[in-house]
Amino acid sequence: ETGVTQTPRHLVMGMTNKKSLKCEQHLGHNAMYWYKQSAKKPLELMFVYNFKEQTENNSVPSRFSPECPNSSHLFLHLHTLQPEDSALYLCASSQAGPQQAPRGYTFGSGTRLTVV
Amino acid sequence: GQSLEQPSEVTAVEGAIVQINCTYQTSGFYGLSWYQQHDGGAPTFLSYNALDGLEETGRFSSFLSRSDSYGYLLLQELQMKDSASYFCAVRGRDDKIIFGKGTRLHILP
């Protein structure tokens, strides 16, 4: 365990389903991030939360909806996804804010999402 | 646009030395980081260079040349457990964080 825990590890969902991904960090970090990792592509930053406030939305479709109720928890709510959204979704946290990134990120092991 | 380039795959022999290069093109630059990711695992932070030169951490070293927009990760005394993907990452213009596509390192016994 890295100190950043993601659940579930694997998720299969239909295009009409609604599901949520959860991320929890026990490191006392101030910033949390959602990344999408697809095969043969760079890690894509989706959302950034700094002290629970969303500071970046990297042109992500509205079918992805983040929520950060406190500095230790981050959710990604999914609805009406497309097959091309199938990927590994990684959560990360850092002590300093995004201005210090990408130094010192701690990543979770990710949720492998398959949309059928 | 902004981009990072690194080789998609590198193969080396156990016990040898391997260098993974990363070139970047960004309007601003605030440091180069390297991450390791084993299959099915989380990316883990390896090193960070904000200034030119070589940073050494055990068997791993990272180098940066800002004038050449270039850096590399050097792995010495390769072990089978070093088989993984290695990503470079930079923060550039508008604080955008950019990762490379990753280099898959294969180690032969």
Side-chain angles (χ1 to χ4, degrees):
Chain A
E1 288 297 330
T2 63
V4 177
T5 304
Q6 290 187 243
T7 54
R9 290 298 304 272
H10 301 273
L11 177 62
V12 180
M13 59 185 290
M15 289 188 284
T16 58
N17 291 158
K18 290 184 179 181
K19 296 287 184 183
S20 295
L21 310 185
K22 179 182 177 181
C23 176
E24 186 173 359
Q25 58 97 359
H26 306 281
L27 303 169
H29 286 173
N30 300 318
M32 298 186 77
Y33 313 81
W34 278 117
Y35 276 87
K36 177 182 179 182
Q37 187 175 33
S38 304
K40 308 295 184 184
K41 290 186 177 181
L43 278 164
E44 300 172 52
L45 178 65
M46 300 176 72
F47 300 104
V48 179
Y49 278 82
N50 198 14
F51 289 97
K52 301 188 299 178
E53 299 295 323
Q54 183 175 322
T55 57
E56 187 161 344
N57 175 338
N58 209 20
S59 302
V60 180
S62 59
R63 56 186 184 270
F64 296 91
S65 175
E67 179 189 1
C68 188
N70 54 62
S71 57
S72 298
H73 294 85
L74 186 65
F75 295 89
L76 187 62
H77 304 299
L78 316 171
H79 64 98
T80 60
L81 294 191
Q82 304 298 311
E84 59 264 29
D85 296 323
S86 298
L88 180 69
Y89 288 85
L90 289 162
C91 173
S93 68
S94 65
Q95 175 58 44
Q99 289 74 21
Q100 296 300 316
R103 179 180 189 179
Y105 275 9
T106 301
F107 281 89
S109 296
T111 295
R112 175 68 63 184
L113 174 66
T114 303
V115 181
V116 297
Chain B
Q2 304 191 97
S3 65
L4 274 76
E5 295 293 331
Q6 55 181 128
S8 58
E9 290 185 274
V10 172
T11 299
V13 178
E14 189 177 15
I17 299 172
V18 71
Q19 178 175 311
I20 300 174
N21 299 320
C22 175
T23 57
Y24 57 88
Q25 184 176 4
T26 58
S27 298
F29 176 78
Y30 299 95
L32 176 71
S33 293
W34 288 93
Y35 285 80
Q36 177 194 60
Q37 185 179 27
H38 288 99
D39 285 346
T44 56
F45 174 75
L46 290 177
S47 67
Y48 175 76
N49 294 68
L51 302 174
D52 292 350
L54 191 69
E55 295 281 343
E56 298 182 59
T57 308
R59 295 187 296 115
F60 294 2
S61 303
S62 57
F63 172 82
L64 175 66
S65 170
R66 289 174 295 172
S67 61
D68 296 322
S69 298
Y70 164 75
Y72 65 73
L73 180 69
L74 190 73
L75 296 83
Q76 303 182 72
E77 301 173 21
L78 284 172
Q79 302 175 10
M80 297 304 293
K81 67 178 182 180
D82 297 329
S83 294
S85 291
Y86 293 85
F87 297 86
C88 56
V90 300
R91 181 166 65 90
R93 182 184 64 195
D94 297 332
D95 285 341
K96 293 295 183 183
I97 301 152
I98 309 164
F99 278 84
K101 292 183 180 180
T103 298
R104 179 75 183 184
L105 175 60
H106 303 278
I107 299 177
L108 304 177

